[in-house]
């Protein structure tokens, strides 16, 4: 039976992957149980408390391991500059330590949790159909949210992001995820090992963390509705995204472990069904009979306008197609249980 070391096993995504792997694989599950993610909870449920920055502990676990499924990371866009050392320490340095331990122990297969955030602003076409890199959005205060052609000023339309699209991280978290990919690629070249980097798009589903500055927008909308308040939608609500259910994320990891692709392969993991942020808020409000969303016109300067993935390469390469549509998944998510543990403060080193 294939032995898998699963890092970040107590987290939102990691816990779903653990459930999906358990029937077929011999799983060793570890998690650092950071207070910023898990609060003061100490319920490990068969998960060993191990920090991926602990080289010696990892080597011991990896000696007879066939593949590592690396989900451990500090997540979210980051609230302020003080968060940067934690992202660099847990995500970048932690991944580097893990890779060094894998090399020492002779483990040559890695499935890495990456993210759509490595693409930054996404991919756009001008009215003539030419791919254009948009300029900065400088008129947000005036309610002009669309990306424009820096040469003509024309509004740009989003187009699907492929795995070979430009990588331009725009947040601390994004920078750390791209660094993880770069370390993994270098490790693959140096050792002959294989890496499948799964670029998750907007993940949601049961047991998602409750409303914190590091939560996903779907959980924030849920928290507002539970309080009887309208979901607060930034900009004009027309930002296009791809929301993918966490059970599909788990399925993509199972397929990646089974496929054992050679070299370094990056794959989008998405539903393939674009939806706007405003539509997400409305779907959740409708499903639970809550107040209608409020389109606030507010914005966050680091946010991207649109980012929508092409799911084709994952379908062709590992046979992955999302089984849960955003319509069905969000309807379920509107009343699904969320994680009770609230993070205890911001992530720190």
């Amino acid at each position: 039976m294939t032995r898998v070391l699963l890092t970040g096993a107590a987290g939102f995504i990691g816990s779903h992957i653990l459930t999906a792997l358990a029937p077929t694989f011999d799983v060793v599950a570890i998690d650092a149980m950071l207070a910023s993610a898990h609060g003061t909870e100490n319920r490990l449920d068969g998960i060993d408390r191990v920090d991926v920055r602990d080289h010696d502990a990892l080597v011991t676990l990896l000696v007879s391991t066939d593949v590592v499924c690396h989900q451990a990371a500090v997540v979210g866009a980051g609230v302020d500059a003080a968060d940067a050392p934690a992202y660099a320490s847990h995500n970048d340095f932690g991944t580097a330590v893990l890779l060094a331990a894998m090399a020492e122990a002779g483990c040559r297969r890695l499935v890495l949790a990456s993210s759509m955030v490595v693409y930054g602003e996404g991919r756009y076409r001008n009215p003539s159909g030419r791919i254009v890199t948009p300029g900065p959005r400088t008129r947000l205060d005036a309610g002009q949210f669309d990306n424009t052609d820096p040469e003509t000023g024309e509004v740009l339309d989003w187009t699907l992001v492929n795995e070979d699209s430009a990588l331009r991280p725009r947040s601390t978290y994004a920078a750390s995820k791209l660094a993880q990919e770069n370390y993994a690629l270098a490790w693959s070249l140096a050792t002959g090992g294989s890496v499948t980097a799964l670029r998750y798009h907007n993940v949601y589903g049961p047991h998602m963390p409750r409303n914190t500055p590091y939560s996903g927008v779907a959980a924030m909308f849920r928290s507002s509705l539970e309080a009887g308040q309208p979901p607060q939608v930034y900009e004009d609500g027309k930002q296009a995204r791809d929301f993918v259910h966490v059970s599909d994320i788990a399925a993509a990891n199972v397929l990646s472990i089974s496929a054992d692709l050679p070299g370094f392969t990056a794959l989008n993991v998405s539903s393939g069904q674009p939806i706007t942020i405003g539509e997400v808020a409305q779907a959740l409000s409708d499903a639970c009979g809550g107040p209608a969303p409020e389109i606030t016109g507010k914005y966050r300067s680091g946010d991207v306008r649109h980012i929508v993935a092409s799911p084709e390469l994952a379908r062709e390469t590992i046979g992955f197609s999302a089984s849960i549509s955003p319509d069905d998944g969000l309807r379920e998510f509107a009343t699904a249980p969320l994680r009770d543990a609230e993070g205890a403060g911001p992530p720190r080193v």
Side-chain angles (χ1 to χ4, degrees):
M1 182 180 290
T2 300
R3 190 171 196 242
V4 179
L5 176 65
L6 174 63
T7 73
F12 163 50
I13 293 174
S15 61
H16 284 270
I17 293 173
L18 178 57
T19 299
L21 291 175
T24 311
F25 299 91
D26 175 17
V27 184
V28 176
I30 65 172
D31 198 294
M33 295 299 293
L34 300 179
S36 60
H38 303 283
T40 57
E41 281 194 341
N42 291 308
R43 294 176 299 154
L44 296 180
D45 298 326
I47 299 171
D48 293 327
R49 188 189 296 271
V50 177
D51 193 315
V52 293
R53 298 171 298 179
D54 186 339
H55 174 271
D56 292 344
L58 289 176
V59 170
T60 300
L61 293 171
L62 285 164
V63 167
S64 56
T65 294
D66 299 298
V67 55
V68 174
C69 185
H70 183 32
Q71 307 297 315
V74 174
V75 300
V79 173
D80 56 42
D83 294 338
Y87 285 88
S89 179
H90 291 282
N91 299 3
D92 304 353
F93 180 66
T95 298
V97 172
L98 172 63
L99 292 169
M102 290 176 67
E104 182 173 334
C107 180
R108 293 293 186 267
R109 294 177 55 199
L110 174 69
V111 175
L112 171 67
S114 188
S115 171
M116 68 175 189
V117 296
V118 299
Y119 297 117
E121 195 65 60
R123 194 162 178 252
Y124 297 85
R125 295 184 186 275
N126 67 10
S128 300
R130 183 170 60 89
I131 298 297
V132 174
T133 300
R137 295 196 292 165
T138 59
R139 305 197 66 189
L140 296 171
D141 286 333
Q144 296 188 17
F145 303 117
D146 284 313
N147 282 312
T148 56
D149 188 324
E151 294 182 3
T152 67
E154 295 174 298
V155 171
L156 300 175
D157 293 324
W158 63 262
T159 189
L160 295 177
V161 173
N162 299 313
E163 286 81 356
D164 60 357
S165 296
L167 305 181
R168 299 188 180 98
R170 290 170 53 88
S171 69
T172 300
Y173 174 62
S176 74
K177 298 309 285 185
L178 181 53
Q180 286 185 309
E181 285 199 19
N182 288 337
Y183 277 113
L185 171 59
W187 172 87
S188 175
L189 294 171
T191 65
S194 68
V195 178
T196 303
L198 300 177
R199 292 173 179 166
Y200 304 158
H201 284 252
N202 290 72
V203 187
Y204 70 98
H207 307 295
M208 195 174 185
R210 292 186 182 277
N211 187 17
T212 78
Y214 304 91
S215 292
V217 68
M220 294 179 180
F221 290 162
R222 267 289 309 271
S223 295
S224 295
L225 289 164
E226 287 181 346
Q229 301 296 319
Q232 301 293 294
V233 180
Y234 279 20
E235 301 188 13
D236 56 5
K238 296 179 182 178
Q239 309 94 302
R241 296 289 190 273
D242 190 307
F243 276 72
V244 57
H245 195 275
V246 68
S247 64
D248 283 322
I249 294 288
N253 277 272
V254 173
L255 288 168
S256 296
I257 291 169
S258 300
D260 189 14
L261 300 176
F264 181 94
T265 306
L267 299 173
N268 288 325
V269 182
S270 62
S271 72
Q273 299 183 44
I275 189 171
T276 69
I277 297 296
E279 289 170 338
V280 170
Q282 189 65 59
L284 294 173
S285 296
D286 290 346
C288 67
E294 179 182 338
I295 307 299
T296 66
K298 297 178 182 178
Y299 65 88
R300 293 180 297 191
S301 58
D303 283 353
V304 302
R305 179 60 172 168
H306 306 295
I307 182 163
V308 179
S310 169
E312 291 304 316
L313 188 60
R315 182 181 296 118
E316 295 169 1
T317 306
I318 61 171
F320 170 77
S321 293
S323 63
I324 300 177
S325 69
D327 286 346
D328 292 340
L330 290 168
R331 189 179 307 113
E332 172 218 48
F333 180 66
T335 55
L338 299 180
R339 290 180 73 101
D340 292 328
E342 297 270 359
R348 292 292 180 259
V349 178

